[in-house]
Structures are given as C-alpha cells and as structure tokens.
Amino acid sequence: MIAKTPPMGWNSWDCYGASVNEETVRKNAKYMAENLAEAGYEYVVVDIQWYQPTADSHQYKSFAELSMDEYGRLLPAVNRFPSAKDGQGFKALGEYIHCLGLKFGIHIMRGIPRQAAFLNTKIKGTNITAREIALPNSICYWNPDMYGINTEAAGALEYYNSIFGLYAGWGVDFVKVDDIAREFHYGEIDLIRKAIDNCGREMVLSISPGASPLEQAEYFKQKVNMWRITDDFWDRWDLLEAMFERAEKWAPHSGAGHWPDADMLPVAAINQCYGEDEWTKFTQDEQITMMTLWCFLRSPLMIGSELTKLDDFTLKLLTNKDLLKMLSDSFNARQIYRRDDEICWLSVSKTGGYYSALFNTSDKEKEVRINLTSCEIDNVTQIFDLWSKEMIDIADALNVSVKPHGVRAFYIS
C-alpha cells in the first residue's frame, strides 16, 4: 500500500513560491538525506510553476509564456532547471533524488494549459486537440495558467494519461494537484486517479487547496492519499488556533493510505525569494503546539523552510522520535474536551499505551488538569513527557503547567 503512514518531506512553496530552481532543490534534497531521512522524511517536492521561465516570487505573472511540448504538456523551464535540456524534463533531477535514497514529487494545476488551447495542440496519441477538451469558463481565480477539462469529452482521459505517463518517465513519486480540492472538481479527480493507475508507477496523490468539504471524506479516502483541510497555512497564531476545530472534525478520517492534510510546516527560514532571510513568526512554543497537533491528527509532515538554514531547535523539533512514533503507530485520535482555552487530545498506541496532550491556547501560562480515569485510562505505570523527555509523577489526575500557546504531550503506559 502506498502512503501507509502519513507522507513526510519538504516542499518548496513556503520558502521559494514559484521561483524555486534546480540548484535549490538539489541542496535541500542533500540536506534531507543527511539530516532528516533517518527520522522518516523522504519526499522532495517541487511546487508550482516549475514550467514558468520568469517566475521569481510567490506572485504569478498573468499569461507568461510557459515551457511546453508539442502535445500541450508542461516541461521544466530550462533556465531554472538546466538538466531538463533537450526534452529530458525532470528525469535527471529525479534520478539525483533517488540516488540519495529519497523520493521525488512535483506540483501541477488541474486541467490543460491555456497556451495549449490557444495553439490548439494535439493530445498525444490522438487526433483530438486541446480546444476540444478545454473549458475556458473553468479557470482558477488565483493562477492564470490553466483551463479546466471537460471530463466527458473524448480525449480528456487521454490527456491526463499523457501527462502522467510523462511524469512516470521522470521517476515522479508524488504529485500535488492544485485548484481541485476545495471546489471539489470530482470529475477531474476521477480522471487523475485513473491516469495514475494507468501510468505504471506508484505515486502519492495529494490535492489542494482546502478547506476540502468534510461531507466528501469517504470519496477522498477512496480516490486520493492526502487532501488539504485548510487554505494555505502560514506562521500566524490565529491560523494555528483555528486548526484545532478542523483537526477535531477530520481526525476520524485518518488511516492507512488516506490522510487529512493540515498543510506545510512554516518553520525556520521561510519566504526566501524576496532577498531577505525571513524567519518564522511562530514562537518556539507555538511550533511545538503545531507539531504535536499535526502528529495527533496524523497529518502529512511537509517542511516549508530552507532546510540548509535549520537551527538546532528546529532540527530537534522536526526529528523528535518519540512524537514521530505517534505519527506512525497511533490510532483513534480524538479531542477529549475543550474548555475555553484548555484543549485535551488522546490517541491509542498500537503497541499498548496512550498518547495525551494538554494544550493552552491562552496568552498566559496556566495549570492544566486531566483526569486519567475520565479518559478511561487505568493501571498507569508511567507517564513520559514527549518533549522534555522526563518521567512525570503518576496520579489519578494529571496537573501540569503549560506555557502560553503551548502544550504538554505524554506517552502513558
């Protein structure tokens, strides 16, 4: 089974927007292999507009000329990805990442390039043209590159087959498809699912942006491996606080092969494409809260920073083996209670025992209490703090001090 546990890796969006280049991808991949792979991080994902030669920020340039082949399939811009010359696409970059023991991913937008429709390119292996499957009234309001596809038209599946066949040849292991989840373009999701199944290579299918509709949870679990439960998540406390409600709703739908996605981790050096070394605005306690909540939800963990600039705190944050064990071996995660600014979560370990977390969303340090008996936890022999690595005195009621916007997380056995 693919994505048996939540996918973990790095995505270029938070730090480079649409401007990422081959040199940056290679150095981040090398860092991951040397410093993060042992903890489980393995996917290196090139985010949006790798096919746009003049992309230089998180902003998109309307109707820029895109790098594209004669069949309307987007190709890496050679000025940004030199190994893509002579029609090689991402093959060399994918091979480099695989040689490091990692996996390679790319971002795409749903649909077919507007440029292909304008030029009326043929769909590979057919006499059908781009205009015959393009829907000019189905467009993304925030990105100018694509038209949606008439999923009932002859040639629609053939087009998706053609691009995923190309990606398979590049050695792609992960595809993030954008402008498809929140608006729930289920027809194109169906075609993409079929095209991946037809391409002969296993690929994790991730869909964005959120918030994905909760009522379609069972559909997502059948069709995709991860789906966004939020719009772009950035380093703001209000967005993190709002994630508790989303996590509570989506936690029952986490399971092998299908994962609600709380989005990337905006830690350490982000927004690097503006010539400034911008650092996350999250406090250290907020970052610990974020990591803890993501792991209870069992969200994919995709790092959004420039990896080569990770400081000691962030590296330890991302590689906490006791917390990451919960990501891979827990189940039945749920919010036990929420009392104003006190939130308690609990999950069960597959190897016995429980994971519990006490969150403080207030602006002041406070004592937080959990009654273990009310959580149906009995015969407790030890309580281990997942962050301080200390053993906690056993009591029927657990009273701990929690910092502002902070958390105390435990393994209870």
Side-chain angles (χ1 to χ4, degrees), residues 137-342:
N137 62 342
S138 177
I139 57 176
C140 175
Y141 73 87
W142 47 266
N143 177 274
D145 298 336
M146 312 293 276
Y147 286 139
I149 285 178
N150 178 357
T151 58
E152 302 299 321
L157 177 58
E158 287 78 4
Y159 177 73
Y160 272 120
N161 281 340
S162 76
I163 64 171
F164 278 92
L166 184 66
Y167 305 156
W170 293 345
V172 170
D173 306 295
F174 181 111
V175 178
K176 174 184 173 182
V177 185
D178 220 332
D179 188 40
I180 201 167
R182 178 173 56 214
E183 293 78 7
F184 191 49
H185 293 282
Y186 68 91
E188 292 199 63
I189 296 173
D190 286 347
L191 290 185
I192 290 166
R193 176 74 271 160
K194 290 176 182 177
I196 292 176
D197 293 342
N198 291 341
C199 79
R201 184 177 180 85
E202 284 191 337
M203 298 180 191
V204 170
L205 175 56
S206 167
I207 61 172
S208 292
S212 298
L214 182 63
E215 62 271 19
Q216 299 301 334
E218 294 306 316
Y219 173 88
F220 293 136
K221 289 154 73 172
Q222 293 297 317
K223 299 290 184 177
V224 304
N225 302 112
M226 44 189 282
W227 59 93
R228 282 269 294 279
I229 65 172
T230 179
D231 204 339
D232 282 7
F233 178 78
W234 286 103
D235 50 335
R236 288 169 30 198
W237 169 247
D238 63 317
L239 297 180
L240 178 52
E241 187 175 22
M243 196 65 73
F244 284 95
E245 182 178 355
R246 297 184 188 277
E248 180 189 12
K249 293 176 180 177
W250 281 106
H253 300 289
S254 293
H258 49 81
W259 308 104
D261 177 13
D263 202 16
M264 287 170 275
L265 302 168
V267 295
I270 55 176
N271 286 331
Q272 298 294 287
C273 58
Y274 297 101
E276 299 178 0
D277 194 16
E278 182 172 337
W279 205 257
T280 181
K281 297 179 180 64
F282 278 142
T283 67
Q284 290 189 353
D285 288 310
E286 288 168 349
Q287 292 174 70
I288 292 170
T289 289
M290 175 178 61
M291 276 291 292
T292 304
L293 182 60
W294 266 233
C295 287
F296 267 95
L297 172 62
R298 303 187 77 193
S299 169
L301 299 182
M302 304 300 290
I303 305 166
S305 63
E306 168 54 59
L307 297 181
T308 64
K309 296 182 180 180
L310 292 186
D311 60 352
D312 184 62
F313 166 81
T314 310
L315 185 58
K316 290 178 178 177
L317 174 87
L318 296 171
T319 59
N320 182 333
K321 64 180 182 180
D322 297 301
L323 188 75
L324 294 179
K325 185 178 180 183
M326 177 172 62
L327 186 74
S328 62
D329 83 345
S330 66
F331 65 97
N332 196 24
R334 59 204 185 276
Q335 181 176 293
I336 298 299
Y337 67 79
R338 182 168 189 168
R339 300 172 188 150
D340 298 324
D341 48 22
E342 297 180 14

Side-chain angles (χ1 to χ4, degrees), residues 6-21:
M8 300 168 62
W10 173 83
N11 180 292
S12 62
W13 170 254
D14 282 1
C15 46
Y16 293 103
S19 71
V20 70
N21 59 35

Side-chain angles (χ1 to χ4, degrees), residues 27-159:
K27 71 178 182 180
N28 277 274
K30 185 174 184 292
Y31 182 94
M32 181 186 290
E34 294 174 349
N35 299 278
L36 294 163
E38 185 177 353
Y41 295 90
E42 59 179 343
Y43 291 98
V44 177
V45 182
V46 179
D47 209 88
I48 196 165
Q49 282 200 328
W50 37 266
Y51 45 79
Q52 210 282 73
T54 63
D56 58 9
S57 70
H58 286 79
Q59 306 301 316
Y60 308 115
K61 299 178 181 180
S62 296
F63 310 113
E65 185 174 353
L66 310 179
S67 178
M68 188 180 76
D69 72 7
E70 68 268 33
Y71 301 114
R73 302 180 300 180
L74 296 170
L75 300 174
V78 174
N79 64 316
R80 293 168 54 198
F81 297 91
S83 69
K85 65 181 180 180
D86 301 324
Q88 292 299 301
F90 276 132
K91 185 174 178 60
L93 182 57
E95 288 175 348
Y96 173 76
I97 290 169
H98 291 151
C99 285
L100 293 172
L102 305 175
K103 296 180 180 178
F104 176 48
I106 62 172
H107 170 290
I108 66 171
M109 299 292 295
R110 73 174 177 93
I112 192 167
R114 295 188 189 193
Q115 184 173 305
F118 176 76
L119 297 173
N120 207 24
T121 58
K122 281 191 175 182
I123 296 168
K124 185 176 175 62
T126 77
N127 289 317
I128 301 168
T129 65
R131 289 180 195 169
E132 294 177 75
I133 68 169
L135 289 176
N137 62 342
S138 177
I139 57 176
C140 175
Y141 73 87
W142 47 266
N143 177 274
D145 298 336
M146 312 293 276
Y147 286 139
I149 285 178
N150 178 357
T151 58
E152 302 299 321
L157 177 58
E158 287 78 4
Y159 177 73

